Amino acid sequence: MNVTKIDEKYLVSTFYVFFLIHASQTGIGMLNFQRVVAQYTEQDAWISVIIMGLSTHLIVWMIYKMLLPSYDILAIHDLCLGRILGKVISTGLVLYFLLLSVVVFRTYIEIIQLWIFPWISTWELGLFIGFIIYYFVSGGFRILTGLAFFGVVLPSILFFTLYFPLRYAHLDNLIPILNHSFIDILKSSKSASLVFVGFETLVVYLPYIKNPEKSKKWAHIALLYTTFLYVVITLVTLVYYSQGQLQETLWPTISMTKIIELPFIERFEYIFIFTWFLVILPTVCIPIWSCTRLLKKMYKMRPKLSLPCLMIFIYIVSICIENSAMVDTLGNLTNEISFYFVFLYIPALFFLFSIRRRLTNR
């Protein structure tokens, strides 16, 4: 198996894995996941979020087992699946990361149109946001790491806004506890998978981390922190909304910010949505960068060529998605694909890799 060697000047410090993973998980999904998760388990939705969050630790453990000391995912595919099939699966990986970028890109445009600028067309917003994304991705992985850092740190103050809904909390909304079957809880956990995915881009950028074996703890800390935030947001949502209100609210997190009243800001949700742009940027940029990296290694396509092509593709697909129903369909499709990729494909690949390594060591 070939060992991936990256020039020292392109590497980032070990602890930045925390920001890269957390920034990849906290994006558009945080604004509306509560309604979907509570569909099966209602007041027990927070339990499903915990289960899904903890299961991501097992997937990250598998990724590190496969990729350390410094192997990349393309080499794993070639080893376990053969060169031809490995290349096909690697191309599918590019399409998967591209899908993650498209769903976040188009959904954020939908939010801007619904809440702030309903008169601005999709192509205009897409063009503006697309240029910003292109600028950051073209800067390289170190720039994206800095973006992930600020995308985690700067918007953190927004989480203090959860205090305002708690003033109207009804704690009896959380009882009875464990009132749903284990099957329903698992279904609800599957629905929560979309807000936890994104960390799997680790399979591409792990070789860009200094001392990657020491970054494991930061990866698991990031997963714990993400799980904690989602559990807190879920609990606040459950005590603020009744189940009937929650199922009728399309964007629960944004709707909760509407009750915030400050002397100098009349519509706080506008500030929230615009600041959230810093949060969603890494969830779009990191998968796109991962696509350029994979295309360069597989097909020798330089990022100067592949990046514009990817951005044009994302832009065209976004324009073709004309209404909220199509955006919702795209989100549901992505949720299904991401769940099976993270929780079925990665374990299957890990199983094949483990068998191949044992046979090789004999």
Side-chain angles (χ1 to χ4, degrees):
M1 183 184 295
N2 297 323
V3 178
T4 302
K5 294 182 180 180
I6 307 297
D7 195 312
E8 180 75 17
K9 66 180 180 180
Y10 297 117
L11 303 182
V12 299
S13 298
T14 305
F15 72 94
Y16 279 112
V17 170
F18 170 86
F19 298 99
L20 287 165
I21 287 183
H22 179 64
S24 297
Q25 290 183 296
T26 51
I28 286 294
M30 188 175 283
L31 303 180
N32 69 342
F33 76 99
Q34 307 97 310
R35 175 177 57 87
V36 180
V37 176
Q39 187 174 4
Y40 295 104
T41 51
E42 299 176 320
Q43 76 277 3
D44 288 332
W46 60 276
I47 300 175
S48 300
V49 174
I50 292 176
I51 292 175
M52 178 53 63
L54 294 179
S55 66
T56 58
H57 289 271
L58 179 60
I59 304 300
V60 166
W61 176 81
M62 292 179 181
I63 291 174
Y64 273 98
K65 277 288 187 180
M66 285 191 293
L67 297 183
L68 291 181
S70 55
Y71 304 129
D72 67 12
I73 190 64
L74 299 182
I76 299 291
H77 284 162
D78 289 346
L79 178 72
C80 298
L81 305 173
R83 179 157 303 192
I84 297 177
L85 182 58
K87 197 166 188 177
V88 172
I89 298 299
S90 297
T91 304
L93 186 60
V94 173
L95 296 176
Y96 169 71
F97 287 144
L98 197 57
L99 177 63
L100 292 182
S101 300
V102 169
V103 71
V104 177
F105 182 85
R106 184 60 182 89
T107 306
Y108 187 74
I109 291 175
E110 180 72 11
I111 291 173
I112 295 292
Q113 291 174 326
L114 285 176
W115 288 86
I116 304 177
F117 301 127
W119 59 86
I120 297 183
S121 61
T122 301
W123 74 266
E124 292 174 306
L125 282 172
L127 199 62
F128 175 73
I129 297 174
F131 275 119
I132 295 176
I133 293 171
Y134 178 86
Y135 173 77
F136 280 110
V137 177
S138 62
F141 182 69
R142 290 174 66 89
I143 296 295
L144 294 184
T145 303
L147 178 65
F149 173 81
F150 287 108
V152 172
V153 174
L154 292 181
S156 296
I157 191 173
L158 295 178
F159 295 113
F160 291 103
T161 60
L162 295 175
Y163 160 76
F164 293 92
L166 284 176
R167 295 165 58 188
Y168 305 95
H170 300 278
L171 296 180
D172 55 343
N173 287 356
L174 296 177
I175 56 177
I177 298 176
L178 292 175
N179 194 38
H180 296 81
S181 67
F182 184 66
I183 298 299
D184 286 337
I185 291 176
L186 289 181
K187 288 181 180 179
S188 185
S189 296
K190 180 185 175 183
S191 300
S193 62
L194 183 59
V195 295
F196 282 97
V197 298
F199 69 90
E200 63 273 18
T201 50
L202 178 67
V203 301
V204 179
Y205 65 72
L206 185 60
Y208 286 78
I209 306 299
K210 293 180 182 177
N211 302 317
E213 64 280 353
K214 295 182 180 179
S215 67
K216 293 184 203 175
K217 68 175 182 180
W218 293 107
H220 288 287
I221 291 173
L223 295 175
L224 283 174
Y225 182 53
T226 300
T227 303
F228 170 76
L229 286 181
Y230 279 126
V231 171
V232 170
I233 293 173
T234 302
L235 288 171
V236 172
T237 303
L238 292 174
V239 298
Y240 178 74
Y241 294 103
S242 67
Q243 286 301 316
Q245 290 172 330
L246 181 57
Q247 292 305 317
E248 294 296 325
T249 305
L250 186 59
W251 300 98
T253 305
I254 301 178
S255 296
M256 287 192 293
T257 64
K258 293 180 66 175
I259 67 172
I260 299 176
E261 296 181 358
L262 299 175
F264 52 91
I265 299 176
E266 183 176 354
R267 301 293 299 272
F268 184 81
E269 66 268 24
Y270 288 2
I271 305 297
F272 184 89
I273 291 172
F274 283 128
T275 307
W276 207 255
F277 184 57
L278 291 174
V279 180
I280 68 103
L281 268 178
T283 63
V284 181
C285 293
I286 294 176
I288 293 176
W289 176 87
S290 299
C291 291
T292 63
R293 169 70 179 169
L294 293 172
L295 290 173
K296 180 180 179 181
K297 295 203 68 177
M298 286 190 298
Y299 301 108
K300 309 302 179 183
M301 289 182 63
R302 295 174 61 85
K304 289 183 179 180
L305 174 62
S306 62
L307 179 56
C309 294
L310 292 172
M311 292 305 305
I312 291 173
F313 176 82
I314 293 173
Y315 180 69
I316 292 174
V317 171
S318 299
I319 294 177
C320 294
I321 301 173
E322 299 176 348
N323 51 54
S324 299
M326 295 179 69
V327 173
D328 191 50
T329 300
L330 177 65
N332 293 334
L333 174 65
T334 306
N335 188 29
E336 288 291 324
I337 294 175
S338 61
F339 175 81
Y340 289 114
F341 174 80
V342 174
F343 297 99
L344 182 62
Y345 171 71
I346 292 180
L349 185 63
F350 172 76
F351 178 72
L352 290 175
F353 176 76
S354 300
I355 293 177
R356 183 60 184 265
R357 186 167 55 180
R358 287 186 179 183
L359 293 175
T360 304
N361 292 336
R362 285 183 178 178

